Amino acid sequence: GRLMPGRMLLVDTRAGKIVDDEMLKLQFAQQRPFQQWISDQQIRLEHLPVPSTKALAAAMAVDDEPVSRDRRLRVFGYSAEQLNLILGPMIQDGKEPLGSMGNDTVLACLDPTPRLPYEYFRELFAQVTNPPIDPIREKIVMSLRCHIGPEGNLLDVCEHQAHRLSLDSPVLTIPELEAIRGMSARYPEWTARTIDVAFAAHEGVAGYQAALDRVCDEARQAIDDNAKVIVLSDRAVGPQRAALSMLLAAGAVHHHLVAAKQRARVALVVETGEARETHHCCVLVGYGVDAICPYMVYEAIAKLHRENVLSSKPVDRLVEQYRHAIDDGFRKVMSKMGISTLQSYKGAQIFEALGVSSEVIGRCFVGTASRVEGTTMEGFAADALARHDLAYGGHKGAQDEVAAIGDEGEYNWRRGGEKHVNTPAAVASLQDAVRTKNKTAWEKYTRESMDAVRDCTLRGLLEIDEGDEANAVPLEEVEPWTSIARRFCTGAMSYGSISREAHTALAVAMNRLGGKSNSGEGGEDPERSVPRANGDSERSAIKQVASGRFGVTSNYLADADELQIKMAQGAKAGEG
């Protein structure tokens, strides 16, 4: 047989027997009355008192500004493109939109325009020792349920350990957050403390730093006052008040409490207008947040519904579809690291920072790898103040003075928008050079491509140090190009993804150079192993074996110089 997902096997060497999954779990389940403990002690959202109509109306109130001119959307860095291309499908269909060809926009740390801190973080992915999960077919072994609030001693098995608030999802609606705020009406010891992360905008960068210190101090004081839930909120943002980035605030509070050995005494919830995409929510949870209420998304849904942009479904249904999309996104991200439960993902910091200074890492993201220095706390503060000034500076009056939310060209190239490595002008030059053998067009293409790479990537910033001629390496000691070319390999592109002509041309070119072309998955025509009359070979030296093993035969395997075996199809970054 084989071990199924979620199953375990015990080899008892003392008793000399194998204990199967069902018997093993039964032994542990019968040791104590766990079901009774959970029934008596666990707190569920449905157990909490319903918030008052007045409190709920105030929390869910939507102003009269249209979505396109909502100042607060500008403060939190929303773009028309994000609303249309990303949030639209999540709200309408309950699914994240799919993109292709990777992300060729400028890195956040190189972009002169204000960027959110989330965009400086990259997800880490599983290696062979920690195989990924299929979040669709193996969804049964995954769970987004999280238990929040004070934790007991991990080594102590007792009934009180179950006395925590259980959430089915880390994403909260506004009524659910209000219920948590008021849960002390039924559970007197469960008091909640809301901490404002906004500060006076006129205080500038110094005010940003001071606000971060204040928020950490207030969180510590809340624990001293026996609060069980801390809610960090940026709702107070307005014409006179800017807000800390919720990621920096939550990360700073989390690590401040960890350093003080107080983190396990409280639940950390954020009420933020900043988070809207799956990546934003994942970074927040990855750095210690227990639950998220993305209230600006809910307000945007209500406004878009009011303006007849969305389907005729009720707003509550659209909110649920958005939550469903975020939940599926969580599973997708967790599965890439081979993590099956949100409880394991929370606070695990499975990210790498790109272009964040060690000062910020040491304050808000302790232990995160950041291989190059970059944006400082002053830089993040300046970005936040720039967005605030864009929304409120100089036009605090009538709404017709506020420009519409822009389309930044992040996903689709736009003239004057975000910089991209691949630009229409460069592609046109490349096509002209290839079709007409136009040397001038080729030179224009290489020049434009190099400029784009220099603007968008770290590798583009590298320069060759020609050094002192006296220390030059003698030419006879330099490896000849024919030897270097033998180590060249093409990317793995399956026959079905490009034309036969392109696939065979790559193989012929690499064989002429002495390098290696890659078959990609899906097999290879045996005729390609037979050399052409002129001596050229269409044979790919590297052969791939995918999960479905399509086209894989004994001849195909024997004819390879190198084999690449995919150990988890479709579970890595490309999801292809």
Side-chain angles (χ1 to χ4, degrees):
R2 64 192 181 98
L3 211 54
M4 303 288 285
R7 304 289 177 86
M8 58 178 67
L9 192 68
L10 173 68
V11 178
D12 191 335
T13 54
R14 289 184 179 175
K17 62 180 181 179
I18 296 176
V19 184
D20 66 14
D21 179 80
E22 187 175 347
M23 182 58 67
L24 181 60
K25 291 176 179 174
L26 193 62
Q27 288 177 8
F28 278 92
Q30 292 177 339
Q31 286 180 4
R32 290 178 175 84
F34 293 116
Q35 183 61 55
Q36 189 63 42
W37 289 2
I38 290 173
S39 299
D40 294 344
Q41 295 290 340
Q42 190 177 79
I43 305 171
R44 305 271 300 167
L45 279 173
E46 54 266 28
H47 300 161
L48 304 183
V50 178
S52 68
T53 306
K54 184 178 180 181
L56 210 51
M60 299 183 70
V62 178
D63 59 40
D64 295 329
E65 278 191 336
V67 166
S68 61
R69 299 184 185 276
D70 192 323
R71 289 184 173 95
R72 289 180 306 156
L73 289 178
R74 278 180 168 272
V75 167
F76 294 120
Y78 283 70
S79 70
E81 213 175 20
Q82 288 173 351
L83 288 171
N84 295 328
L85 296 181
I86 305 300
L87 294 180
M90 295 171 76
I91 296 164
Q92 297 267 42
D93 308 321
K95 293 180 180 179
E96 268 192 298
L98 295 177
S100 63
M101 302 309 291
N103 182 1
D104 70 339
T105 50
V106 58
L107 293 176
C109 56
L110 300 180
D111 194 351
T113 61
R115 297 285 284 266
L116 295 175
Y118 306 89
E119 298 173 51
Y120 290 77
F121 289 83
R122 296 286 184 272
E123 299 164 9
L124 298 179
F125 300 102
Q127 304 303 314
V128 176
T129 52
N130 192 37
I133 301 167
D134 183 332
I136 299 171
R137 295 163 192 83
E138 296 179 322
K139 184 177 177 180
I140 190 171
V141 301
M142 303 190 76
S143 172
L144 296 183
R145 176 170 290 186
C146 45
H147 307 283
I148 72 173
E151 300 177 29
N153 184 345
L154 283 173
L155 304 178
D156 185 18
V157 182
C158 66
E159 184 175 2
H160 191 70
Q161 294 274 36
H163 191 61
R164 303 183 73 196
L165 176 59
S166 178
L167 305 176
D168 291 331
S169 165
V171 183
L172 300 173
T173 61
I174 293 174
E176 288 171 347
L177 177 61
E178 292 306 311
I180 291 173
R181 276 195 172 114
M183 66 187 293
S184 59
R186 180 164 299 174
Y187 303 95
E189 74 279 13
W190 280 77
T191 56
R193 177 77 57 87
T194 299
I195 298 175
D196 179 20
V197 302
F199 63 98
H202 69 83
E203 294 177 359
V205 172
Y208 197 95
Q209 300 260 30
L212 201 59
D213 294 335
R214 171 184 58 79
V215 168
C216 290
D217 292 341
E218 287 186 21
R220 182 71 182 274
Q221 185 59 50
I223 292 176
D224 292 342
D225 295 340
N226 291 320
K228 298 293 189 289
V229 181
I230 291 175
V231 181
L232 302 181
S233 175
D234 56 24
R235 267 191 183 270
V237 69
Q240 310 302 329
R241 292 179 69 75
L244 297 173
S245 165
M246 190 55 76
L247 176 58
L248 297 180
V253 167
H254 173 72
H255 283 292
H256 179 73
L257 297 181
V258 168
K261 299 182 179 179
Q262 300 292 317
R263 180 63 185 90
R265 293 181 56 188
V266 72
L268 184 60
V269 179
V270 299
E271 179 184 35
T272 178
E274 205 175 51
R276 58 261 193 186
E277 300 177 16
T278 296
H279 178 67
H280 299 167
C281 295
C282 287
V283 181
L284 284 169
V285 172
Y287 284 99
V289 169
D290 289 307
I292 304 156
C293 178
Y295 67 88
M296 277 308 302
V297 174
Y298 301 147
E299 288 191 24
I301 291 173
K303 288 185 177 184
L304 290 169
H305 188 270
R306 182 178 68 194
E307 295 167 16
N308 298 318
V309 176
L310 300 176
S311 64
S312 58
K313 296 175 184 175
V315 171
D316 289 349
R317 175 64 182 154
L318 296 173
V319 167
E320 278 307 310
Q321 289 185 166
Y322 167 77
R323 288 179 70 187
H324 179 75
I326 292 287
D327 285 350
D328 280 350
F330 263 111
R331 291 187 189 94
K332 181 187 72 177
V333 172
M334 285 161 44
S335 71
K336 293 176 184 178
M337 198 56 175
I339 294 174
S340 58
T341 67
L342 189 81
Q343 206 73 14
S344 298
Y345 186 79
K346 190 193 302 178
Q349 303 191 170
I350 309 200
F351 294 90
E352 178 182 14
L354 188 58
V356 180
S357 71
S358 52
E359 164 211 1
V360 177
I361 296 292
R363 180 74 190 272
C364 306
F365 312 110
V366 180
T368 299
S370 182
R371 291 177 173 82
V372 293
E373 289 291 313
T375 306
T376 60
M377 196 66 78
E378 288 82 0
F380 286 121
D383 282 355
L385 292 167
R387 286 194 299 272
H388 184 270
D389 189 59
L390 189 66
Y392 294 104
H395 39 66
K396 300 181 174 67
Q399 72 175 32
D400 59 357
E401 296 178 356
V402 182
I405 292 172
D407 188 344
E408 298 173 355
E410 181 182 359
Y411 301 98
N412 296 320
W413 183 90
R414 291 181 67 87
R415 188 178 301 279
E418 287 280 7
K419 293 178 180 177
H420 288 254
V421 171
N422 301 304
T423 64
V427 172
S429 297
L430 175 63
Q431 290 174 334
D432 184 23
V434 172
R435 287 170 181 163
T436 65
K437 298 191 180 342
N438 185 337
K439 184 179 179 182
T440 304
W442 174 256
E443 290 172 347
K444 183 180 178 184
Y445 162 70
T446 56
R447 185 170 59 252
E448 290 177 347
S449 294
M450 285 302 297
D451 289 343
V453 168
R454 188 179 300 112
D455 289 338
C456 297
T457 67
L458 291 179
R459 71 176 184 273
L461 302 178
L462 296 175
E463 294 180 353
I464 296 176
D465 183 4
E466 297 182 4
D468 186 0
E469 286 188 16
N471 296 321
V473 178
L475 193 59
E476 55 270 16
E477 293 183 18
V478 178
E479 197 173 356
W481 72 266
T482 50
S483 175
I484 296 172
R486 284 201 291 270
R487 294 196 288 273
F488 285 6
C489 298
T490 64
M493 293 176 284
S494 61
Y495 176 72
S497 67
I498 55 178
S499 67
R500 174 183 171 83
E501 291 81 4
H503 207 276
T504 54
L506 285 168
V508 169
M510 295 311 292
N511 286 327
R512 285 181 183 177
L513 290 171
K516 293 183 176 71
S517 62
N518 196 315
S519 68
E521 57 190 74
E524 188 168 274
D525 189 342
E527 291 182 2
R528 289 179 56 173
S529 296
V530 180
R532 293 177 179 175
N534 64 357
D536 281 337
S537 173
E538 299 177 358
R539 168 183 172 273
S540 294
I542 303 173
K543 303 285 202 297
Q544 284 197 339
V545 182
S547 299
R549 298 184 292 284
F550 306 114
V552 176
T553 64
S554 56
N555 288 335
Y556 173 82
L557 296 174
D559 196 33
D561 295 349
E562 180 182 313
L563 285 174
Q564 294 181 349
I565 302 175
K566 292 191 174 183
M567 43 70 70
Q569 175 80 344
K572 288 295 181 74
E575 298 182 83

